[in-house]
Amino acid sequence: MRKKELRLVITFHTTTEAMAMEKACKQTKAPGRLIPVPREISAGCGLAWCAELDDREAVRKVMDNIGVREQDMHEVMV
């Protein structure tokens, strides 16, 4: 089992936005991965992007480039 650590968890309004984020991050080799939304968080689509806290600006840049807006950004033990 993976050890829980404090991570940046970005939620999205729709599954389409979450999937676009995953595609863009894979293409640009941006850090993070798509995960189910943790229980502590409520989100519209059920998917979230998880990355290291230090990667906030890199992830934000990808989102700005593809025009995806987050529902919220959280710092959560994942």
Side-chain angles (χ1 to χ4, degrees), residues 1-72:
M1 191 162 135
R2 187 178 266 189
K3 181 183 172 195
K4 290 190 176 198
E5 297 179 6
L6 191 61
R7 305 271 183 177
L8 176 66
V9 176
I10 303 168
T11 57
F12 302 94
H13 294 282
T14 67
T15 302
T16 303
E17 290 173 321
M19 301 303 286
M21 178 68 172
E22 180 181 43
K23 181 179 178 182
C25 285
K26 283 184 178 183
Q27 288 175 343
T28 61
K29 297 187 178 17
R33 63 190 172 97
L34 203 58
I35 64 168
V37 174
R39 283 182 225 145
E40 299 88 0
I41 302 171
S42 164
C45 80
L47 295 173
W49 191 255
C50 180
E52 299 286 334
L53 294 176
D54 294 340
D55 295 329
R56 184 183 301 262
E57 290 306 314
V59 172
R60 169 64 70 197
K61 185 176 180 180
V62 171
M63 292 171 60
D64 289 344
N65 286 340
I66 63 172
V68 168
R69 297 286 168 232
E70 76 277 0
Q71 180 177 3
D72 209 347

